[in-house]
Amino acid sequence: MADHDAESSSSHFIYDVFLSFRGFARYRFTDCLYHALCERGITTFRDDENLRVGDRIRYTLLEALERSRMSIAVLCKDYASSTWCLDELAQIMKSWNNGKFRPVLPIFYQVEPSDVRRQRNQYEKDMMKHEDRYGKDSHDIKAWRSALREVANLSGVTCTVKSYESEIINKIVQEVSEKLPPEPLYIKHPIGFDSHFEAVESLWNIESDNTICMLVMYGDGNKTTFVGELFNKFRHQFEAASFLHKVSEKSRRSADDLENLQETLLHEMGVHKKPKLGSMLKGSSIIKQSLHNKRVFLVLDDVDSIEQLDSLAGGGDWFCPGSRIVITTRDAKFLNNQVLDGFKIEKYCINEGEFEGMQGARSNQKKDKVFEEDMVGFVDIFNNVTKQLKENETNLNVISVIGMGGLGKTTLIKKIYNNNEVKKLFSYCVWITVSKDYKATELLQILLKGCGLFESTKGKDISKDDQKSKVQKFLEKKKYLIVLDDIWEPEVWAEVECLFPDNNNGSAILITHKKIK
């Protein structure tokens, strides 16, 4: 694996593996393991006990750990005797737990995992010595004990006194090769992307685990380079990640193209020992089965057909909430006429730095770019409405914008709907244009699609009341923002009002209409 420069902007990481160890194992087992990893091309940081002097070295060790893609802890009998090792282990498990999900491989070297987990035998003696020194209820003691329990609960490798160490080391190197996340992409001279990063970060709210966001990036700008840098910057915050380059081109080389892409995705996501797929349908099933409980970051570069998307990211139930899917495409209208269950879909124009939000379906499936139109006369209204949305955290807020046709009501509401700060407030957003020829059944179908419920009702004899009940139940636990644009008659609102529950959480409905009776 490549050696990465610490100052490179293309990668957060400079080491593949951080190796933590203690005691007599360092001169034989750990030394052999270190050299075996290096020979495989795995860049490994070896913690040298001789350098553990002063705060400066402590900071250096923690920085090395922070910038390693995975960690190995060689847990021998006297590992817990070292506060350095215990500090390292606590930091290792913190990085594993706090959303970064970097793989951790424990090696139980001539020690029982249960001794580590329950702190028995030598581990008990060492921890009691630490308690005498720091106090039983000290923060450090609690953190060390918790880290020992957590690491002992992970799947690891046990090396007993009767084991052939050379075989164990080969097994470890192979397992590390499989668990190690894919290398960061090499990005040549990534410049001029700062404003795009800011826009995308605010758009998809990467810290949120409430939804699965799909970002569709289009335009004439250098989409692939930007997305590659985005991938390098955020991949360490996910349990698994994959960047599939040139999907359109690779999907047309042979009859098994999409199946090959599925296999690549599974491999890069850390799914190993998988059977030969045999068919694209089986591949889709394995992806869903393997990744449905993982928070993943998936990039599909240069997609031009819904078939490609269906085979690689077919539905929101394929991935854990909090996952992020990024698609680059040359087609600005890609997904305009499609409904993808379970995804919150956003669109971003790379060459203009403009974005537009989209959740589920919109009536007529119409997705117009939000242009910078003249807002003279609307600034006060814009500020007032956005303030109401931000400050209201209790009752359902229904806001109407009334005026003659051509005044710019829709433009105003679009700017509010697509405002970065407003987007962050709601876990579910949908825009519905209610035409003059509005039919209640059509609006209900759009809401069913937007809620990801349409497929479960299609072809079934489900009453209108049951359909309404499904929508209401879906929205009950959501903080939602729904736009009903261009309502012509007050009877329309009277008929659909019952669909939107008051969750006492600040949900909102924005309505535009031309007249009042």
Side-chain angles (χ1 to χ4, degrees), residues 56-310:
R56 183 176 179 183
I57 298 300
R58 181 185 181 88
Y59 173 80
T60 301
L61 291 174
L62 292 178
E63 183 183 31
L65 193 157
E66 176 68 19
R67 303 192 70 176
S68 297
R69 295 196 283 149
M70 73 172 291
S71 298
I72 297 176
V74 182
L75 300 157
C76 59
K77 289 182 180 179
D78 63 347
Y79 184 90
S81 66
S82 168
T83 58
W84 277 91
C85 287
L86 292 172
D87 277 342
E88 286 175 2
L89 186 64
Q91 190 66 31
I92 286 170
M93 300 314 296
K94 180 181 178 181
S95 294
W96 181 76
N97 281 323
N98 69 0
K100 297 176 181 177
F101 294 101
R102 299 173 191 169
V104 179
L105 178 64
I107 311 299
F108 302 99
Y109 184 76
Q110 298 182 13
V111 65
E112 291 294 326
S114 58
D115 285 356
V116 179
R117 183 183 304 109
R118 299 174 184 175
Q119 285 118 67
R120 299 186 306 195
N121 297 322
Q122 188 60 46
Y123 275 73
E124 180 182 18
K125 295 176 183 178
D126 290 332
M127 292 307 296
M128 289 181 67
K129 290 179 181 178
H130 297 320
E131 287 182 357
D132 290 340
R133 180 179 179 184
Y134 298 103
K136 186 175 181 179
D137 296 326
S138 76
H139 174 78
D140 287 337
I141 294 294
K142 291 179 180 179
W144 295 340
R145 287 193 179 279
S146 176
L148 288 169
R149 287 193 297 269
E150 288 180 345
V151 75
N153 285 328
L154 298 178
S155 175
V157 177
T158 300
C159 181
T160 68
V161 292
K162 296 182 179 180
S163 300
Y164 289 101
E165 292 190 0
S166 59
E167 293 181 0
I168 296 294
I169 287 173
N170 289 335
K171 179 181 178 180
I172 293 170
V173 172
Q174 181 61 34
E175 189 162 344
V176 169
S177 298
E178 293 179 351
K179 284 190 173 183
L180 201 61
E183 285 197 49
L185 304 172
Y186 172 69
I187 307 297
K188 185 177 181 180
H189 307 309
I191 59 175
F193 288 148
D194 289 348
S195 60
H196 291 302
F197 278 133
E198 292 176 4
V200 169
E201 286 180 47
S202 65
L203 186 64
W204 71 355
N205 190 11
I206 199 167
E207 300 298 331
S208 172
D209 289 334
N210 295 327
T211 59
I212 300 176
C213 182
M214 178 177 287
L215 176 64
V216 180
M217 188 166 295
Y218 65 96
D220 299 326
N222 198 338
K223 301 180 293 296
T224 300
T225 299
F226 170 67
V227 172
E229 186 67 5
L230 190 75
F231 186 73
N232 285 338
K233 183 174 182 179
F234 292 111
R235 58 184 294 164
H236 68 280
Q237 298 187 31
F238 295 84
E239 291 181 79
S242 175
F243 189 114
L244 297 183
H245 187 48
K246 296 183 178 179
V247 170
S248 175
E249 177 183 327
K250 292 178 180 177
S251 65
R252 293 184 173 87
R253 291 177 178 173
S254 69
D256 299 327
D257 294 331
L258 284 174
E259 183 184 330
N260 293 335
L261 284 169
Q262 289 177 329
E263 291 182 351
T264 300
L265 185 155
L266 286 166
H267 175 72
E268 292 190 355
M269 290 287 189
V271 180
H272 303 287
K273 300 179 181 179
K274 61 183 183 300
K276 183 70 176 176
L277 297 183
S279 72
M280 191 174 72
L281 184 62
K282 185 176 181 181
S284 297
S285 177
I286 293 176
I287 292 173
K288 178 179 177 181
Q289 181 182 4
S290 303
L291 301 178
H292 74 277
N293 61 349
K294 289 188 177 182
R295 187 172 185 261
V296 307
F297 187 5
L298 173 61
V299 174
L300 304 178
D301 175 52
D302 195 21
V303 175
D304 64 3
S305 77
I306 193 66
E307 181 186 15
Q308 296 159 7
L309 187 57
D310 284 343

Side-chain angles (χ1 to χ4, degrees), residues 16-29:
D16 294 322
V17 171
F18 180 93
L19 185 57
S20 178
F21 58 93
R22 170 66 172 165
F24 67 94
R26 61 182 292 226
Y27 294 109
R28 188 178 62 185
F29 179 82

